[in-house]
Amino acid sequence: MRENPLHRRSAGILLHITSLPGPGPVGDIGPSAHRFVEFLASAGQTFWQMLPIHPVGGGDSPYDSPSAFAGAPHLISLESLVDDGLLPPSSLPPPSLERDRVNFDEVRSVLPPLFREAFLEFERSERRPLRNDYEAFLAENTSWVWDFALYSALKRKFDDRPWFEWSHDLRRREPHVLEAAHRELSTAVRYHVFLQFCFHHQWARLRAHARLLGVNFMGDVPMFVAHDSVDVWANQHAFFLDENGQRTVQAGVPPDYFSESGQLWGNPLYRWDTMREDGYGWWIDRLRREFLKFDAVRLDHFIAFSRYWEIPITATSAKTGRFLPGPADDFFHAARRAFGALPFVAEDLGIVTAEVEALRDRFQLPGMKVLQFAFNPGAEGYVPHRHTENTVVYTGTHDNDTTRGWYDGVVTRAGSTTPLRRNDASTVDPDENEKFAAAIELSRIEALSGTSQSVGVTPSLIRLLYATVSRTAIIRLQDALNLDGSYRMNVPGVAHGNWTYRCRSEQLSSEIAENLRALAIVTERFEPENQE
């Protein structure tokens, strides 16, 4: 593994691939992604941070995937398939039809027929260089790709029913039944393998281009996997399941200052003792595949490596549960043996205990600081002047409003209230108390940003963020473009309508790039003389 890029002072942009511009229904890893890499390089950015790149699940969420290993087929570029001779140029939409939003319904209706056309062309033609790459891909990915392809074919055969509703012998993965399914669904299995090869092939080109320009990729690894996933189906012994594949307990988090009732996620929980027996083999393989695509990864819900919240399967909210110990040091020692350097970002947001902080610090992992949290009364640990060097600071995450939208929201909550001194806050009406807290937050934002103008707050806070001692500074593209709250990526707790933001080509202007580059240089996050 290369030198840990998190050890250098740097800057980057958070933008999911689906948000890239283009005429298709969704952003992809083709020419538009290559152009974005060039934009990042011209803007003095060292990192491109993305959301998980695996197939999406419920609500089109990248955090609810049916596979922790597979690449998302909808990220495959049609333009690159044309370049490889697998599709005719007439398959491409006119470039003038650039979209403002991701259309997942169109993703599901338009892309599969074109992918099947490309698959048929690949099967009937020689294309020796591509064939050689395909054979190499199979040799390197045997541990997961055939299981994923069979799972995907079976899902289609059974009208998308979850694996734990299949026949008993398929649920239990009886060898003779799996062999029969491979024979029966041979063409469908090869099709899904082909899609994974296309993703791998196009990703390799993109990453090589990024490395040439000095841009590192940062990925995102969710802590838990979906119950209806090939990961659980193929590794049932590693999860708390009954003999029918049903969960016996479920994942979530208890009530905290983000949610009064906690969050009931419903994912199956790991049998960490079982995973420990083979040195966390599934996890190590998972991370190894991530490091083939990324230079660093964010470990989502890092807290659960220290302790996790176990919720009874009968519970209807996350209020009922108990904390149990995670794998802690043992897991990270195994990861260090496998990879040497640990280019992990610990997502340590939420109620963090001293034990979580100690685990993070023992392995020298940078934690996260979110600027939007810095102005809340009681959240002073996020205040910029209290940051430490070994942290990654964000304007906001994919779950936050844009900075401009967030500021407008604080203004609305504060109303006409001013942060006057209260002798006894306990006697204040709860609604008034919330307004009072918002007024304090607003006064702090305006004091540190030096402005009370909505349009001016975002660039001021970006300058503040770049000037912190935090080694890595990441801003969302929406904030670089100073967009309002209608352009946010995700609203937690809302099941539909998320993950649709897309930028437009003209927004990635040389002026934006030059401004970011100048700021990165003056804050010592970019050194032009080191660029080749």
Side-chain angles (χ1 to χ4, degrees):
M1 182 174 289
R2 299 194 308 164
E3 176 193 358
N4 188 341
L6 296 167
H7 288 170
R8 300 193 303 273
R9 188 166 171 83
S10 61
I13 286 181
L14 169 59
L15 182 76
H16 196 36
I17 295 166
T18 58
S19 299
L20 289 168
V26 65
D28 58 48
I29 55 177
S32 181
H34 286 258
R35 289 191 290 271
F36 187 65
V37 166
E38 292 163 2
F39 169 82
L40 292 172
S42 68
Q45 304 297 295
T46 305
F47 278 107
W48 177 3
Q49 182 170 347
M50 309 166 192
L51 306 187
I53 58 171
H54 308 294
V56 297
D60 302 312
S61 171
Y63 290 90
D64 185 40
S65 178
S67 173
F69 290 75
H74 64 267
L75 299 182
I76 294 171
S77 164
L78 297 179
E79 290 175 87
S80 296
L81 292 179
V82 169
D83 291 342
D84 286 332
L86 298 175
L87 283 177
S90 59
S91 302
L92 302 178
S96 59
L97 294 179
E98 192 165 283
R99 314 295 186 90
D100 288 313
R101 294 284 174 178
V102 176
N103 187 327
F104 282 106
D105 288 334
E106 198 173 332
V107 165
R108 285 181 282 270
S109 64
V110 171
L111 295 185
L114 294 172
F115 290 158
R116 292 184 186 281
E117 183 180 344
F119 167 64
L120 293 175
E121 176 61 27
F122 178 75
E123 289 239 308
R124 64 174 168 250
S125 64
E126 271 300 312
R127 304 193 185 281
R128 181 45 54 190
L130 210 56
R131 281 281 174 185
N132 292 341
D133 290 343
Y134 177 76
E135 296 299 329
F137 167 77
L138 291 181
E140 294 168 1
N141 294 276
T142 301
S143 69
W144 66 271
V145 73
W146 292 108
D147 271 331
F148 172 74
L150 179 60
Y151 168 85
S152 301
L154 287 167
K155 288 279 288 183
R156 183 177 178 86
K157 176 183 177 180
F158 295 128
D159 298 322
D160 207 38
R161 282 161 49 203
W163 68 265
F164 41 85
E165 292 182 6
W166 298 347
S167 64
H168 181 269
D169 47 7
L170 270 177
R171 287 201 311 267
R172 302 304 298 171
R173 296 176 52 85
E174 299 292 344
H176 69 284
V177 176
L178 294 183
E179 291 172 9
H182 270 289
R183 289 193 300 271
E184 176 193 354
L185 303 172
S186 174
T187 301
V189 168
R190 295 197 312 276
Y191 166 70
H192 289 290
V193 171
F194 165 76
L195 291 183
Q196 290 308 303
F197 163 67
C198 290
F199 181 93
H200 171 88
H201 189 63
Q202 294 182 11
W203 187 274
R205 292 173 177 168
L206 178 62
R207 192 170 185 215
H209 188 198
R211 282 189 163 179
L212 186 65
L213 295 179
V215 175
N216 294 300
F217 288 174
M218 187 188 299
D220 197 330
V221 176
M223 165 55 72
F224 298 113
V225 296
H227 185 198
D228 184 20
S229 67
V230 64
D231 307 297
V232 179
W233 178 55
N235 300 278
Q236 295 173 50
H237 66 287
F239 297 87
F240 282 101
L241 306 173
D242 64 20
E243 61 180 10
N244 294 316
Q246 298 291 344
R247 297 158 300 157
T248 57
V249 289
Q250 54 188 323
V253 291
D256 58 20
Y257 53 76
F258 292 113
S259 172
E260 291 183 0
S261 59
Q263 299 177 51
L264 182 61
W265 296 333
N267 308 78
L269 290 170
Y270 300 110
R271 292 184 180 271
W272 285 117
D273 288 346
T274 299
M275 288 189 154
R276 186 178 294 116
E277 292 174 1
D278 71 347
Y280 308 97
W282 178 86
W283 262 99
I284 296 300
D285 195 20
R286 178 189 188 186
L287 291 172
R288 181 176 290 111
R289 305 295 163 183
E290 295 291 333
F291 287 139
L292 290 173
K293 298 179 180 70
F294 297 102
D295 302 281
V297 295
R298 169 185 177 266
L299 295 179
D300 190 41
H301 196 48
F302 174 81
I303 293 169
F305 284 108
S306 176
R307 65 173 189 171
Y308 63 92
W309 188 241
E310 179 191 85
I311 303 170
I313 197 60
T314 55
T316 57
S317 84
K319 290 182 178 180
T320 304
R322 60 174 181 167
F323 278 116
L324 292 172
D329 293 61
D330 196 52
F331 175 87
F332 290 101
H333 284 307
R336 182 171 282 169
R337 287 192 296 270
F339 307 117
L342 297 180
F344 297 139
V345 175
E347 190 272 287
D348 53 355
L349 307 177
I351 299 178
V352 180
T353 65
E355 290 78 11
V356 172
E357 294 178 340
L359 175 64
R360 179 198 65 202
D361 294 344
R362 278 195 296 275
F363 291 90
Q364 299 179 312
L365 307 181
M368 288 177 55
K369 299 294 183 183
V370 177
L371 206 55
Q372 286 189 17
F373 300 161
F375 309 97
N376 293 316
E380 284 74 14
Y382 292 99
V383 173
H385 63 265
R386 295 191 182 183
H387 291 185
T388 57
E389 188 177 8
N390 196 29
T391 51
V392 182
V393 60
Y394 294 81
T395 45
T397 74
H398 61 276
D399 284 334
N400 295 115
D401 202 343
T402 67
T403 297
R404 188 170 166 185
W406 157 76
Y407 173 77
D408 290 341
V410 176
V411 171
T412 299
R413 291 199 309 275
S416 60
T417 305
T418 56
L420 300 175
R421 182 174 299 171
R422 305 282 184 157
N423 293 325
D424 186 3
S426 65
T427 65
V428 177
D429 178 85
D431 292 336
E432 285 298 314
N433 208 20
E434 183 177 346
K435 289 182 180 180
F436 180 60
I440 294 175
E441 185 177 3
L442 182 61
S443 67
R444 291 175 175 179
I445 294 169
E446 294 177 352
L448 276 173
S449 68
T451 181
S452 59
Q453 300 298 313
S454 176
V455 71
V457 165
T458 300
S460 295
L461 291 184
I462 288 175
R463 289 193 294 272
L464 179 66
L465 177 142
Y466 266 59
T468 64
V469 298
S470 297
R471 194 177 287 126
T472 309
I474 304 288
I475 64 174
R476 296 163 300 182
L477 182 66
Q478 296 99 309
D479 292 334
L481 302 177
N482 202 4
L483 300 178
D484 64 36
S486 64
Y487 296 92
R488 74 180 293 174
M489 189 63 164
N490 181 50
V491 181
V494 175
H496 302 287
N498 292 314
W499 320 110
T500 64
Y501 165 68
R502 291 186 81 174
C503 67
R504 297 187 65 86
S505 297
E506 63 267 21
Q507 291 178 309
L508 302 175
S509 66
S510 58
E511 180 183 3
I512 295 290
E514 288 167 6
N515 290 340
L516 288 173
R517 183 185 180 92
L519 186 57
I521 290 173
V522 76
T523 57
E524 299 180 351
R525 296 188 180 278
F526 179 68
E527 299 179 21
E529 63 273 18
N530 289 343
Q531 296 295 104
E532 297 179 356

